[in-house]
């Protein structure tokens, strides 16, 4: 089996490009290209592979092996140890030890109290999730739906903090227990996000395509808002995976159909938190169109479209809005507005410091800003500390 570096070299030669020419056209340094081709470096970021694949006119995954994204920070692993233990604890232990079996109403009340933490308060989630997971595992048959939802929420949190293996374990267990299509689709939506973050673009794309096809309403007018949300979000996963895999046409097509689902809704829809914490509608689709422009390195388009994002009574999730802010920050940095980029990052840091600290995207942008500024300002240093960039 060939290595990623060997595939890169073969594709480059097939296109008749030297290393310097590929570096010039892709924006990837010639030293990185040489290291990859010579085997001195085994892998690279998904974004690096995408830039190279775009110039070489091949899918990203034809070059990349995937699984190239960073895992969790060391302190994150320690902080979430109790969550890992709770996920792997045998059912019934709480009842046997304390003689107080949990109830559906009781567990649901605790989940209700914890819902605000899913905006990115990961430290609090690490403290409350172990008890919720243990109690949910000990519920009887009447608590099956709640047990599934708790595993979904745990999987989302673990994915957000880059604990890939634990997240996959929680989500696959949730999927095994699912009894209806919308319930299963919520789990799959998070699984495809996990694959995407982990660099498994082909896996994310294949699963999302299969589920988007299954979730498509037979008659749009008769589809419920939750059904339209599930279908639309899965189409967004298809688009996100395809655009990163250098499949622009496929990404645009999936985004077009996501727009159809959003138009059928008419406005941003927020399901019950026991169905999903994610919204879907015209605003979310607009944010994802901008994200695709950012991925394909069109900063002027990002800045222009960001001024026209539709606003409604229901706002997209904090995670989606924050990701959008990073896309704008990236565009500002690429167009030389370093001060504006840092100020925007400071606003995100003020409200969502833990979320920002888990974004490698933010680390990359801060690194690039620091490399292009003569003076490291106190504001830039403040942001760099949160995203763990040494200046």
């Amino acid at each position: 089996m060939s290595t990623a570096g060997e595939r890169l070299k073969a594709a480059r030669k097939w296109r008749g490009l030297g290393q310097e020419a590929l570096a010039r056209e892709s924006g990837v340094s010639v030293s990185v290209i040489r290291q990859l081709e010579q085997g001195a470096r085994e892998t690279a970021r998904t974004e690096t592979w995408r830039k190279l694949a775009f110039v070489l006119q091949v899918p990203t995954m034809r070059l990349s092996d995937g699984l190239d994204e960073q895992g969790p920070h060391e302190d994150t692993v320690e902080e979430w140890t109790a969550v890992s233990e709770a996920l792997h604890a045998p059912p019934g232990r709480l009842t046997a030890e304390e003689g107080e079996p949990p109830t559906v109403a009781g567990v649901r009340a605790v989940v209700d109290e914890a819902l605000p933490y899913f905006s990115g308060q990961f430290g609090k989630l690490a403290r409350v999730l172990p008890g919720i997971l243990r109690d949910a595992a000990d519920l009887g048959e009447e608590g099956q739906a709640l047990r599934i939802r708790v595993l979904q929420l745990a999987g989302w949190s673990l994915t957000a903090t880059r604990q890939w293996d634990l997240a996959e374990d929680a989500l696959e267990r949730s999927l095994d227990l699912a009894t209806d299509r919308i319930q299963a689709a919520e789990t799959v939506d998070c699984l495809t996000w996990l694959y995407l973050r982990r660099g498994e673009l082909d896996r994310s794309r294949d699963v999302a395509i299969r589920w988007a096809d299954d979730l498509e309403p037979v008659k749009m007018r008769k589809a419920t808002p939750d059904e339209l949300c599930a279908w639309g979000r899965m189409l967004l996963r298809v688009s996100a995976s395809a655009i990163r895999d250098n499949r622009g046409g496929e990404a645009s097509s999936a985004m077009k159909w996501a727009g159809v689902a959003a138009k059928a809704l008419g406005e941003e829809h927020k399901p019950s938190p026991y169905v999903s914490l994610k919204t879907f509608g015209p605003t979310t689709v607009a944010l994802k169109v901008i994200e695709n422009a950012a991925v394909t390195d069109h900063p002027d388009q990002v800045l222009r479209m960001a001024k026209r994002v539709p606003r409604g009574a229901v706002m997209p999730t904090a995670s989606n809005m924050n990701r959008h802010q990073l896309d704008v920050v990236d565009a500002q940095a690429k167009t030389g507005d370093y001060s504006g980029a840092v100020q925007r990052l400071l606003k995100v840091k003020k409200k969502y410091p833990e979320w920002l600290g888990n974004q490698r995207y933010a680390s990359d942008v801060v690194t690039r800003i620091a490399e292009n500024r003569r003076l490291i300002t106190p504001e830039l240093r403040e942001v760099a500390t949160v995203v763990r960039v040494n200046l």
Side-chain angles (χ1 to χ4, degrees), residues 376-389:
I376 303 299
T377 64
E379 293 82 5
L380 179 56
R381 197 174 296 280
E382 180 181 346
V383 173
T385 300
V386 173
V387 298
R388 306 180 193 230
V389 170

Side-chain angles (χ1 to χ4, degrees), residues 136-150:
D138 287 336
L139 293 173
E141 187 176 339
E142 72 280 4
Q144 179 85 327
L146 183 55
R147 183 159 46 247
I148 292 167
R149 186 67 185 126
V150 167

Side-chain angles (χ1 to χ4, degrees), residues 149-175:
R149 186 67 185 126
V150 167
L151 286 168
Q152 289 171 339
L153 292 170
W156 179 91
S157 307
L158 291 161
T159 301
T161 51
R162 305 206 294 253
Q163 300 179 80
W164 315 130
D165 293 343
L166 274 178
E168 192 167 15
D169 180 32
L171 292 169
E172 287 183 346
R173 286 165 58 185
S174 171
L175 191 59

Side-chain angles (χ1 to χ4, degrees), residues 76-89:
T76 299
V77 175
E78 183 177 351
E79 187 176 34
W80 286 72
T81 298
V83 175
S84 175
E85 292 173 350
L87 274 172
H88 297 121

Side-chain angles (χ1 to χ4, degrees), residues 145 147-156 159 167-195 207 211 215 230 233-234 237 274-278:
R147 183 159 46 247
I148 292 167
R149 186 67 185 126
V150 167
L151 286 168
Q152 289 171 339
L153 292 170
W156 179 91
T159 301
E168 192 167 15
D169 180 32
L171 292 169
E172 287 183 346
R173 286 165 58 185
S174 171
L175 191 59
D176 287 342
L177 294 171
T179 56
D180 70 69
R181 194 170 61 158
I182 298 301
Q183 194 179 60
E186 173 66 11
T187 301
V188 173
D189 180 65
C190 197
L191 270 170
T192 53
W193 178 48
L194 185 159
Y195 301 151
V207 172
W211 275 82
L215 291 165
R233 286 202 306 266
M234 204 62 66
R237 296 296 186 207
Y274 288 91
V275 174
S276 178
L277 295 182
K278 310 176 192 78

Side-chain angles (χ1 to χ4, degrees), residues 251-323:
S252 296
S253 178
M255 189 66 75
K256 181 189 77 173
W257 284 107
V260 170
K263 187 176 181 180
L265 280 167
E267 60 183 3
E268 201 76 10
H269 174 65
K270 185 177 183 179
S272 158
Y274 288 91
V275 174
S276 178
L277 295 182
K278 310 176 192 78
T279 67
F280 178 79
T283 304
T284 295
V285 170
L287 296 182
K288 296 305 177 182
V289 170
I290 294 170
E291 180 178 317
N292 281 5
V295 169
T296 52
D297 204 18
H298 291 93
D300 292 332
Q301 289 183 23
V302 170
L303 296 174
R304 184 173 64 253
M305 290 189 292
K307 297 176 182 178
R308 303 197 304 265
V309 174
R311 305 282 174 167
V314 175
M315 290 296 294
T317 62
S319 179
N320 273 337
M321 288 302 299
N322 287 340
R323 163 69 202 214

